[in-house]
Amino acid sequence: MKKIGVLTSGGDAPGMNAAVRAVVRKAIYHELEVYGVYNGYEGLMEGNIKKMELGSVGDIIQRGGTILYSARSEEFKTDAGQQKAIEQMRKIGIEGLIVIGGDGSFRGAEKLTQKGFPCIGVPGTIDNDIPGTDYTIGFDTALNTIVNAVDKIRDTATSHERTYVIEVMGRDAGDLALWAGLANGAETVIIPEQEESFESVVGKLKRGQERGKKHSIIILAEGVGSGVEYGKRIEEETNMDTRVTVLGHIQRGGSPSGYDRVLASRLGAKAVDLLLDGIGGRMVGIENNIVVDHDISDVLAKKHAVNMNMYKLANQLSI
Ligand code: F6P
């Protein structure tokens, strides 16, 4: 293999730039030519592809977002769209592609590999919802963004003796909510993976109030439903002065944490190693601090499992 491509796709995540940098530098180190694909699969089909040099990825390791931009593409889900993308890469002589993104992006990588074009997936999403890796790039940074935000909310919650519902991202996964719940000492964490009756949440709030608690923090994963609606119900049911904060896209931005930069560097480099060995159709990941790779179709066939021991612990520590 002499020429490879790299793209970022789906929702951006802090650390994607560090992963792009690792891919580009590792590829050049091994005397490969490396091409950046702009705007994800959309740009791939249009041929929005440029050769990258060592300097193309200078000064980006610390930057959030993605210098390659990102997009979600409907056309690429079609057979015709995938053929178009392969033709664009063949025109330039690109023989392998590294896709940095989440499960939606990996479905594209799987399809291209099945059509004879080797792709490697690098998990980049704040949601931490990809099987086959303990962490996805961006999760740690997003978690810390939430932790800092909730600390600030807690200050004002205490001053005004209020109950707060804080809605965090994670699409269908509760990892961000659960980890933040533990890290922030939230009174209640509500995640899509574990049903929690409204009555039991209200009961806990009331018991806390009777014990003289001055405020309560409920962290709600967006996959459970609207934080605004939940907050309204809480106020109606308890008469507690309640406010809602939807953290939103603030969770997707910002400079990546040290952990995410290191993870992105290790996974990006491993993806290049696999292509150099002529291997496609894999996803790289980290398990017990060891860089691993898995069949991308196996990864897509599984469902990410939230750590239920951590969920139990969060409940035990917030009695
Ligand atoms: O997958 C990352 C993520 O931020 C999810 O947590 C969230 O549900 C979704 O993307 C939001 O997508 P968009 O940026 O398209 O609104």
Side-chain angles (χ1 to χ4, degrees):
M1 204 168 284
K2 293 268 178 291
K3 295 184 185 182
I4 66 166
V6 56
L7 63 78
T8 50
S9 163
D12 62 354
M16 278 186 165
N17 279 329
V20 171
R21 172 183 177 272
V23 168
V24 170
R25 295 265 167 102
K26 187 76 165 31
I28 294 175
Y29 175 85
H30 291 291
E31 297 177 354
L32 293 174
E33 276 184 28
V34 57
Y35 290 80
V37 180
Y38 290 80
N39 294 326
Y41 291 121
E42 205 60 41
L44 188 61
M45 290 182 298
E46 288 161 7
N48 192 354
I49 303 171
K50 290 185 193 114
K51 186 161 181 247
M52 304 197 86
E53 311 294 346
L54 288 176
S56 317
V57 290
D59 201 23
I60 66 164
I61 196 167
Q62 78 285 14
R63 280 166 53 191
T66 160
I67 60 157
L68 293 179
Y69 304 102
S70 194
R72 295 191 166 112
S73 170
E74 282 307 311
E75 189 189 346
F76 184 74
K77 289 181 185 157
T78 66
D79 195 58
Q82 292 151 19
Q83 287 301 347
K84 221 166 150 184
I86 291 176
E87 276 156 33
Q88 293 287 7
M89 290 191 280
R90 294 228 160 108
K91 257 201 267 176
I92 304 172
I94 297 173
E95 296 161 290
L97 179 69
I98 294 173
V99 173
I100 305 165
D103 55 353
S105 315
F106 292 168
R107 277 183 212 289
E110 181 192 35
K111 287 277 179 298
L112 291 181
T113 306
Q114 284 164 353
K115 287 187 157 64
F117 198 94
C119 293
I120 303 292
V122 176
T125 164
I126 65 165
D127 296 351
N128 208 40
D129 60 347
I130 313 275
T133 187
D134 295 342
Y135 300 106
T136 56
I137 297 164
F139 173 69
D140 183 64
T141 308
L143 171 66
N144 281 294
T145 300
I146 298 170
V147 168
N148 290 331
V150 176
D151 282 349
K152 292 185 172 105
I153 291 169
R154 185 184 280 279
D155 289 344
T156 177
T158 311
S159 309
H160 290 270
E161 302 193 20
R162 281 173 174 156
T163 296
Y164 267 83
V165 175
I166 301 168
E167 182 191 307
V168 301
M169 277 188 170
R171 207 183 295 271
D172 300 318
D175 283 54
L176 280 172
L178 174 57
W179 282 65
L182 254 179
N184 286 110
E187 276 63 34
T188 304
V189 179
I190 307 173
I191 57 174
E193 293 88 345
Q194 177 64 46
E195 213 178 307
E196 165 90 63
S197 79
F198 184 68
E199 291 67 34
S200 87
V201 173
V202 166
K204 200 170 179 184
L205 286 175
K206 286 187 172 159
R207 284 196 301 279
Q209 195 179 40
E210 280 156 22
R211 276 199 344 261
K213 250 180 169 312
K214 295 290 182 217
H215 68 258
S216 283
I217 303 277
I218 298 169
I219 300 192
L220 177 99
E222 63 172 341
V224 175
S226 155
V228 174
E229 293 305 318
Y230 207 87
K232 263 195 217 147
R233 279 182 74 194
I234 293 280
E235 188 159 64
E236 277 163 16
E237 194 65 35
T238 62
N239 268 329
M240 290 173 181
D241 191 13
T242 305
R243 294 289 187 276
V244 177
T245 301
V246 179
L247 288 181
H249 285 80
I250 195 173
Q251 297 162 94
R252 285 246 296 268
S255 179
S257 65
Y259 182 83
D260 274 331
R261 296 180 199 192
V262 171
L263 179 65
S265 303
R266 294 175 77 186
L267 298 190
K270 176 69 177 179
V272 174
D273 281 338
L274 289 171
L275 285 183
L276 274 169
D277 288 341
I279 296 169
R282 311 288 291 175
M283 182 201 80
V284 294
I286 189 112
E287 287 176 330
N288 301 320
N289 201 24
I290 294 168
V291 177
V292 295
D293 58 284
H294 297 287
D295 185 282
I296 206 160
S297 303
D298 288 351
V299 169
L300 288 170
K302 287 188 188 135
K303 199 175 159 16
H304 166 74
V306 77
N307 185 329
M308 290 313 288
N309 287 330
M310 272 178 57
Y311 179 79
K312 276 188 208 133
L313 180 64
N315 277 321
Q316 287 166 356
L317 301 187
S318 64
I319 40 168

